[in-house]
Amino acid sequence: MKKGWQELSLQRKFLISVSALMLAALAMLSLLAGQLLTREVDQAVASEMHNTLQTAQSRTSEWLTGKKDQLQALAQHLPGEPENRETWESFLTIAREAQGFDLVHIGTADGQVIQSQPPIELPPGADPRTRPWFIQAKEKGELILTPVYVDLLTGDLNMTLAVPLKENPNHILGGDLYISAVVDELLQQKMRWNSQLLMLDAEGRVLAHSNPELLQKELQEVLPGFQQQGEGIQQVEFNDQPWLASSIRIEDTGWQFLLLVDADEVQAVSSQLLKLLGGLALLVTLVSGLLVYWLALTLTRPLQNFQQQLEGITQTLDLEQRLDVPRQTEWYQLASQTNRLLERIDRVVQNVIHSSTQLNASARNLAYTAGLVSRNSDLQDEVSQSMAAAVEEMSSSVAEITSTMEELSTSSTQIADHSQSVVDVANLTLDNSRKGVDAMQHLQERMGDIYSDSQQSLAEIMELGAKSKQISRVMDLINDLADQTKLIAFNAALEASSAGESGKRFSVVASEIRRLADSVTDSTREIEDRIQEIQDSISRLVITSEKGSNSIQAGMEVSSSTAEDLNALLEAASQTSSAAEQISLSTKQQKTASSQVVVALRDIASASSHNAQSVRSITDISEDMLAMSRSLMDLVQEFRTNGVERP
């Protein structure tokens, strides 16, 4: 198969490759488009189902919330115990007509039922206190909602809202609602798909559906395998047909709306769209095939012409020929570059012919010279002996010089090693000096901070002493006020004693005021003693702080002197380190120079040993050059340049 592919023409290879690539791309795109189309249909169904359920939920919640708010507002405004219970009846009738309840009633604590007009007939001995709505509302003390139930006589869906009266929670206000109208309106919602809507109670029984036969049936009996707690869309069987099912709950009620969509109808729409996509893909494939075929002919025809012209130049080796390609084709640039390449090859071949002629002449001269030397064998031996003696003498001298320079290089190496040790010691001393200077600078900064803190502490202590003196003046003022208060209390006691029986109570008050003044005097005296102790402590602390400040200042002067000495030591260590580095650098340079001299001498010794071998190789090389020049002349003569063909 591989051999058959290689034997195909470029046009067929291009046509087959592009066609296969386009078919693979179209197949992948069709598959991807089919998956995306199926996903879009599924998402459209899911979105419409979600919107339908959300609409049912929001409309039911809004309707129910409005009824709850209306009943609670009525419970807050009704009197708790009116003089005439007919007043309740008037309020209830107005509320029923205005708020859309089917019946509004009050269950009293003594077992009576007050109804809105027109009332319903109650069985004999009916006691609201035994009804679930009365019991639940009274226990919880807030608004309650009874489960939905089906009226056996009318088939309507009923429920009751109940809440205690605000002014008398022992009486329960109730409102009966027929929700069949609201539910029927929700069940009649239309979708673009064939769909059905079911309403379930908290126990999973069917409360509402367009088919009355399903009412009060268990959900598992109607839709086997449906998971009420599951999320998203589920596949179920209903009436022996596949359906897509999704549900949503109404908060605070236990109700649940279940939406069914015909799965066969959704699948039919998807299949129709996929068939349409397949037809479109087939049409695109046919048009693409024709376009690829035309493109292959357009691209390969100039290439075949280009190949034929290039094959003619290759067979004739005529470098004067040029490729002729129309300017408007894609191969014009390639043909232009190939023509420029042929021109450069033409010039190169001409230069090679000229150079090969010169090389042939030089090889002949070199071979002729070698032939003269070979015919004069006596002169050759004499020259060879003289050259051998000179080479041996030169090798001996180079060996002696090399030995001396190696000894000098060893000494230079030892000196360089010792000088490096001196540099290391000098650098270590310099680093230690710098660390000492840095530590002393840090010590000076810390001493300055301590001195500033001590000065600030001393100022705050002085300010504290001044404030304690102000407190003493305030205590003196309090003592004066206490003395005046005692004097006033004494005068009041005298006046009270002169007033007789009517002034006894005033005398007791005067005595209490005098006792309070004595207590204030004792307290202020104790406070003055504590303030005096604080002032004494402050005075001692001021003296101690001043001594500490003087000591810190003396320490700062000593550290400044030490810092100057360390800076001088650092400068000396720096100069020493620089001098040691200069010495080390000089010794390293000397070591490098001696090593280079030794290497050069060794190279000279090696070169002298190769001189004789080089002279013997010249003759062999000249013969090889002569043979190569002849071969090169034969090769370049095959090309045709400047209109002349070389035989």
Side-chain angles (χ1 to χ4, degrees):
M1 182 177 180
K2 183 177 180 181
K3 183 178 180 181
W5 172 260
Q6 293 177 351
E7 293 177 353
L8 293 176
S9 63
L10 180 61
Q11 179 179 351
R12 293 184 178 180
K13 288 182 179 178
F14 178 80
L15 185 60
I16 294 173
S17 300
V18 175
S19 299
L21 183 61
M22 291 188 65
L23 288 174
L26 285 173
M28 293 180 63
L29 289 176
S30 299
L31 181 60
L32 180 60
Q35 293 178 352
L36 292 177
L37 187 60
T38 304
R39 185 187 303 173
E40 288 296 326
V41 173
D42 294 341
Q43 290 180 353
V45 174
S47 176
E48 189 168 358
M49 293 178 68
H50 177 74
N51 293 336
T52 302
L53 291 173
Q54 285 289 344
T55 301
Q57 182 190 41
S58 61
R59 292 177 61 182
T60 304
S61 298
E62 291 174 0
W63 176 79
L64 189 58
T65 302
K67 297 301 179 183
K68 289 181 179 179
D69 294 341
Q70 293 169 1
L71 194 66
Q72 285 181 333
L74 181 60
Q76 292 179 353
H77 290 88
L78 284 176
E81 196 65 55
E83 296 179 359
N84 187 357
R85 293 192 174 181
E86 293 180 355
T87 305
W88 274 349
E89 183 176 317
S90 300
F91 277 111
L92 297 179
T93 301
I94 295 173
R96 183 188 67 80
E97 294 175 352
Q99 299 174 358
F101 286 94
D102 295 292
L103 180 67
V104 183
H105 50 83
I106 295 178
T108 63
D110 55 2
Q112 296 184 13
V113 178
I114 311 300
Q115 303 183 59
S116 60
Q117 296 297 322
I120 64 172
E121 184 178 356
L122 298 176
D127 189 349
R129 294 173 297 181
T130 62
R131 303 297 296 168
W133 57 269
F134 188 98
I135 297 172
Q136 294 177 12
K138 189 171 183 179
E139 288 179 352
K140 294 185 178 180
E142 60 183 13
L143 180 71
I144 62 96
L145 175 66
T146 64
V148 177
Y149 59 93
V150 180
D151 192 326
L152 299 179
L153 296 178
T154 63
D156 293 330
L157 297 177
N158 300 332
M159 71 174 183
T160 300
L161 296 174
V163 62
L165 296 182
K166 181 179 180 181
E167 296 186 4
N168 190 350
N170 292 321
H171 302 320
I172 305 300
L173 173 65
D176 293 343
L177 294 172
Y178 294 134
I179 65 172
S180 295
V182 177
V183 173
D184 291 342
E185 183 180 354
L186 294 176
L187 294 180
Q188 292 174 2
Q189 292 187 87
K190 298 297 182 181
M191 295 178 62
R192 77 176 75 178
W193 320 94
N194 181 22
S195 62
Q196 299 186 33
L197 186 65
L198 294 84
M199 181 179 177
L200 311 175
D201 62 8
E203 285 74 22
R205 291 189 297 270
V206 179
L207 291 177
H209 187 258
S210 58
N211 185 4
E213 296 179 357
L214 299 180
L215 299 181
Q216 295 301 313
K217 286 188 176 181
E218 297 290 339
L219 179 62
Q220 292 301 321
E221 182 181 354
V222 178
L223 297 176
F226 180 77
Q227 302 293 329
Q228 287 186 268
Q229 305 299 327
E231 296 182 356
I233 299 177
Q234 304 180 36
Q235 186 86 19
V236 297
E237 291 288 333
F238 179 64
N239 292 336
D240 297 328
Q241 291 183 1
W243 294 77
L244 301 177
S246 181
S247 63
I248 191 170
R249 291 187 177 274
I250 309 299
E251 296 182 358
D252 301 330
T253 64
W255 304 346
Q256 185 176 10
F257 285 103
L258 177 60
L259 180 63
L260 299 177
V261 175
D262 192 348
D264 290 337
E265 184 177 352
V266 175
Q267 184 63 33
V269 173
S270 298
S271 301
Q272 184 178 2
L273 292 176
L274 289 175
K275 290 179 181 178
L276 181 61
L277 179 62
L280 182 61
L282 181 60
L283 178 62
V284 171
T285 302
L286 293 176
V287 174
S288 300
L290 295 176
L291 181 62
V292 168
Y293 181 73
W294 175 80
L295 183 62
L297 292 178
T298 304
L299 293 178
T300 57
R301 191 173 296 160
L303 180 60
Q304 292 176 351
N305 185 22
F306 181 88
Q307 183 179 3
Q308 292 174 359
Q309 296 183 44
L310 190 60
E311 184 178 1
I313 295 174
T314 304
Q315 292 177 354
T316 60
L317 292 179
D318 187 359
L319 299 180
E320 290 184 340
Q321 294 185 14
R322 296 294 181 266
L323 299 176
D324 185 15
V325 176
R327 182 180 295 271
Q328 63 272 15
T329 61
E330 292 79 2
W331 306 100
Y332 178 75
Q333 293 293 334
L334 179 60
S336 299
Q337 295 177 4
T338 305
N339 290 333
R340 288 195 294 270
L341 178 62
L342 291 174
E343 292 176 359
R344 295 186 62 181
I345 293 175
D346 188 13
R347 291 194 298 269
V348 169
V349 169
Q350 293 179 15
N351 293 331
V352 169
I353 293 173
H354 179 70
S355 299
S356 62
T357 303
Q358 294 180 351
L359 178 62
N360 191 16
S362 300
R364 289 178 181 275
N365 292 331
L366 185 59
Y368 177 72
T369 303
L372 290 177
V373 174
S374 62
R375 287 192 296 267
N376 193 356
S377 59
D378 296 336
L379 181 59
Q380 181 181 4
D381 293 339
E382 182 179 355
V383 172
S384 300
Q385 292 176 359
S386 299
M387 289 179 65
V391 169
E392 290 179 358
E393 184 177 358
M394 183 176 65
S395 298
S396 177
S397 300
V398 170
E400 292 179 0
I401 296 173
T402 301
S403 176
T404 303
M405 289 305 299
E406 287 178 350
E407 293 178 357
L408 179 60
S409 177
T410 302
S411 300
S412 299
T413 301
Q414 294 177 355
I415 294 172
D417 294 340
H418 290 302
S419 64
Q420 184 62 41
S421 300
V422 174
V423 171
D424 294 340
V425 173
N427 289 334
L428 180 61
T429 303
L430 179 60
D431 292 339
N432 292 332
S433 300
R434 288 174 178 170
K435 292 179 180 178
V437 171
D438 294 339
M440 183 54 64
Q441 289 179 353
H442 183 68
L443 176 61
Q444 286 180 323
E445 292 176 357
R446 296 302 300 162
M447 291 291 288
D449 294 340
I450 294 172
Y451 182 73
S452 299
D453 293 341
S454 65
Q455 291 296 322
Q456 184 177 359
S457 299
L458 182 59
E460 292 177 355
I461 292 170
M462 296 298 291
E463 183 179 358
L464 180 61
K467 290 182 178 179
S468 64
K469 291 180 180 180
Q470 294 176 2
I471 295 173
S472 297
R473 288 195 294 272
V474 173
M475 291 296 103
D476 293 339
L477 178 59
I478 293 173
N479 286 331
D480 293 340
L481 293 175
D483 292 339
Q484 292 178 5
T485 302
K486 287 192 290 184
L487 181 58
I488 293 171
F490 180 73
N491 292 333
L494 292 177
E495 293 295 333
S497 61
S498 61
E501 292 297 328
S502 60
K504 285 183 178 182
R505 293 182 179 178
F506 188 70
S507 176
V508 173
V509 174
S511 299
E512 290 297 325
I513 292 174
R514 187 171 55 219
R515 187 178 60 80
L516 180 60
D518 292 336
S519 177
V520 170
T521 303
D522 295 338
S523 298
T524 53
R525 187 178 297 110
E526 185 176 357
I527 292 172
E528 288 177 349
D529 294 339
R530 296 293 182 272
I531 291 173
Q532 185 61 39
E533 292 176 359
I534 292 173
Q535 289 178 350
D536 295 340
S537 299
I538 289 172
S539 299
R540 291 192 297 272
L541 186 58
V542 168
I543 295 172
T544 304
S545 299
E546 289 178 349
K547 291 181 180 179
S549 178
N550 295 332
S551 300
I552 292 171
Q553 189 171 7
M556 291 177 64
E557 293 176 356
V558 173
S559 63
S560 298
S561 177
T562 305
E564 292 177 357
D565 296 338
L566 286 174
N567 287 328
L569 178 61
L570 177 62
E571 184 177 0
S574 178
Q575 294 176 357
T576 303
S577 177
S578 299
E581 289 179 353
Q582 291 294 331
I583 295 172
S584 176
L585 180 61
S586 299
T587 55
K588 288 180 180 179
Q589 291 176 351
Q590 182 180 359
K591 173 185 175 182
T592 302
S594 60
S595 299
Q596 292 176 352
V597 171
V598 170
V599 171
L601 290 174
R602 289 174 179 171
D603 292 340
I604 293 172
S606 176
S608 62
S609 63
H610 289 293
N611 285 338
Q613 182 67 27
S614 299
V615 173
R616 288 191 295 269
S617 299
I618 290 175
T619 303
D620 298 334
I621 292 173
S622 63
E623 293 177 356
D624 294 338
M625 287 178 63
L626 184 60
M628 290 171 60
S629 64
R630 290 174 180 172
S631 299
L632 182 60
M633 288 294 295
D634 295 338
L635 179 62
V636 297
Q637 284 177 356
E638 295 181 3
F639 290 93
R640 181 187 300 169
T641 59
N642 293 328
V644 179
E645 182 179 359
R646 297 181 180 273

